[in-house]
Amino acid sequence: MYPRTLPSTMRTPKAIPVFPYNHPPRPRVRLVRPLSVAPQVDRSNGTFNAIGVPHLNIGIQGIRVRRAVGVAVTTGAVLASGALHAAPAQAAAAPTIAAKGGFVMNNANGKSLYTKAADTRRSTGSTTKIMTAKVVLAQKNLNLNSKVTIQMAYSDYIVANNASSARLIVGDKVTVRQLLYGLMLPSGCDAAYALADKFGTGSTRAARVKSFIGKMNADAKELGLKNTNFDSFDGIGKGKNYSTPRDLTKIASSAMKSSTFRAIVKTKKYTAKTVTKTGSTRTMAPWTNTNGLLSGYSGTTGVKTGSGPEAKYCLVFAATRNGRTVIGTVLASTGSTQRETDAKKIMDYGFGRI
């Protein structure tokens, strides 16, 4: 049966009857004209549907139904006219991450998509090596196949600092391309030292290294970065090696413009073949990329992990989905797995805001 009155939510207070009746008809009137179609609320989705209304046999009840139908029609008209609007859906809340700092931007236009202490200076660990590689790849007339002889000083440096290593063999000749893979995949500080020694200028190794670090800082200045400074070629700093999530992201975004850099940082595993002192070929043990996102997050294209007593656990990352690329950084997370979890959260959030 059609309801005698609408639910309280549909009533209008003391509404003037829709139909031209000031008084109900006399009781002797037994029948009213049937209503063939009347709107009724569909509670499943809040819209109005036209449904058949049964014949009404009692006069007073019929009038009440007609009045109710009129109210329903009026209410439906208000909704159809757009006078009432549904509240817009709330935007997803920014995720919580364990890292002390984080930043994500749209790589296409630099628009910020997520920030957490994005401009606070922190130690960067081996994410510093992004700038190391960037400086090398910016050299004029660069020959990636030119060879560098591995020196004992590079090996001694690794031992003295308990640093991550590409396990380069003293006396072997290694190409610049191979050194870049050794720098970015296993995070070899020996490879970083070799590159700084190769591409710095000066008559001594110390002078060449200092010159190379100067090039790193000059590049940062050219990018307009005011919260970044390097005092090392690999992130093993002396108190003045720092950056921010925002600055590191901008460095990575600039570095990713190089096709060679992009090819290196998205590589999961690489095997170098070097030339020994005797001229024979040495097949090195494969270098595995320390960036677990390459296997653990769809669309990941790079770029570099970092860690250290002061830096904690860091990660600079980038991913492309459906032609859109986000790029970002987390600094000072609580573990190697957690930094990846942090990165995944804020990349998901970033993709949702592009």
Side-chain angles (χ1 to χ4, degrees):
M1 293 292 292
Y2 192 85
R4 294 187 178 185
T5 59
L6 290 177
S8 60
T9 55
M10 298 293 293
R11 297 175 190 165
T12 54
K14 298 181 180 180
I16 297 173
V18 174
F19 296 97
Y21 299 116
N22 291 327
H23 301 283
R26 297 177 185 180
R28 69 173 179 269
V29 178
R30 298 305 240 176
L31 298 175
V32 297
R33 182 177 297 172
L35 299 177
S36 59
V37 176
Q40 182 178 352
V41 177
D42 178 352
R43 296 180 185 273
S44 66
N45 58 22
T47 60
F48 288 86
N49 291 332
I51 63 171
V53 179
H55 289 276
L56 304 174
N57 298 319
I58 301 175
I60 293 177
Q61 291 179 348
I63 294 166
R64 289 176 179 171
V65 170
R66 286 188 176 194
R67 291 178 181 177
V69 169
V71 174
V73 170
T74 302
T75 307
V78 172
L79 289 174
S81 68
L84 300 178
H85 299 282
Q90 291 185 342
T96 299
I97 60 173
K100 290 184 179 179
F103 180 74
V104 172
M105 74 179 191
N106 182 341
N107 196 52
N109 56 23
K111 179 183 177 182
S112 172
L113 301 174
Y114 174 89
T115 63
K116 176 183 177 180
D119 299 307
T120 300
R121 296 176 178 180
R122 300 187 189 279
S123 177
T124 58
S126 286
T127 59
T128 297
K129 291 167 183 163
I130 297 171
M131 182 61 93
T132 308
K134 186 176 185 302
V135 168
V136 170
L137 290 168
Q139 299 300 302
K140 292 182 180 180
N141 304 314
L142 176 65
N143 181 2
L144 291 171
N145 295 318
S146 64
K147 292 182 172 60
V148 176
T149 301
I150 304 303
Q151 304 295 317
M152 180 61 75
Y154 311 157
S155 180
D156 290 344
Y157 176 82
I158 293 296
V159 174
N161 291 280
N162 192 28
S164 55
S165 171
R167 300 185 180 277
L168 299 173
I169 307 299
V170 174
D172 278 8
K173 290 181 173 60
V174 185
T175 68
V176 171
R177 187 191 307 275
Q178 291 168 338
L179 287 173
L180 287 168
Y181 276 95
L183 173 77
M184 300 304 289
L185 272 64
S187 199
C189 294
D190 45 357
Y193 198 165
L195 290 167
D197 194 10
K198 167 73 172 176
F199 292 103
T201 57
S203 58
T204 65
R205 182 172 292 120
R208 290 190 293 273
V209 167
K210 183 178 180 180
S211 167
F212 186 87
I213 295 170
K215 292 180 181 182
M216 294 169 68
N217 284 314
D219 199 323
K221 185 176 181 180
E222 188 175 333
L223 289 172
L225 309 180
K226 300 184 182 302
N227 291 307
T228 295
N229 187 75
F230 300 107
D231 68 359
S232 73
F233 49 75
D234 59 358
I236 301 178
K238 304 172 183 64
K240 293 184 179 179
N241 202 93
Y242 57 80
S243 189
T244 68
R246 191 189 305 273
D247 281 7
L248 268 177
T249 300
K250 290 180 178 180
I251 293 170
S253 179
S254 179
M256 291 287 274
K257 293 176 182 178
S258 163
S259 59
T260 300
F261 183 88
R262 292 196 305 272
I264 292 170
V265 298
K266 74 177 182 181
T267 300
K268 296 179 182 180
K269 188 171 290 188
Y270 181 86
T271 300
K273 292 185 177 182
T274 64
V275 179
T276 69
K277 291 179 181 179
T278 62
S280 62
T281 299
R282 185 193 309 278
T283 301
M284 301 286 290
W287 293 325
T288 300
N289 201 317
T290 56
N291 183 3
L293 292 179
L294 290 169
S295 299
Y297 190 83
S298 175
T300 297
T301 56
V303 291
K304 185 73 184 74
T305 62
S307 60
E310 184 181 358
K312 305 305 179 186
Y313 294 89
C314 311
L315 181 56
V316 181
F317 48 84
T320 300
R321 290 180 175 179
N322 299 320
R324 301 171 300 164
T325 299
V326 297
I327 188 166
T329 300
V330 290
L331 294 181
S333 192
T334 55
S336 58
T337 300
Q338 184 61 50
R339 68 186 170 193
E340 293 178 8
T341 299
D342 290 343
K344 290 175 184 178
K345 283 183 179 181
I346 60 180
M347 278 196 286
D348 284 344
Y349 182 71
F351 277 121
R353 298 189 65 199
I354 291 181

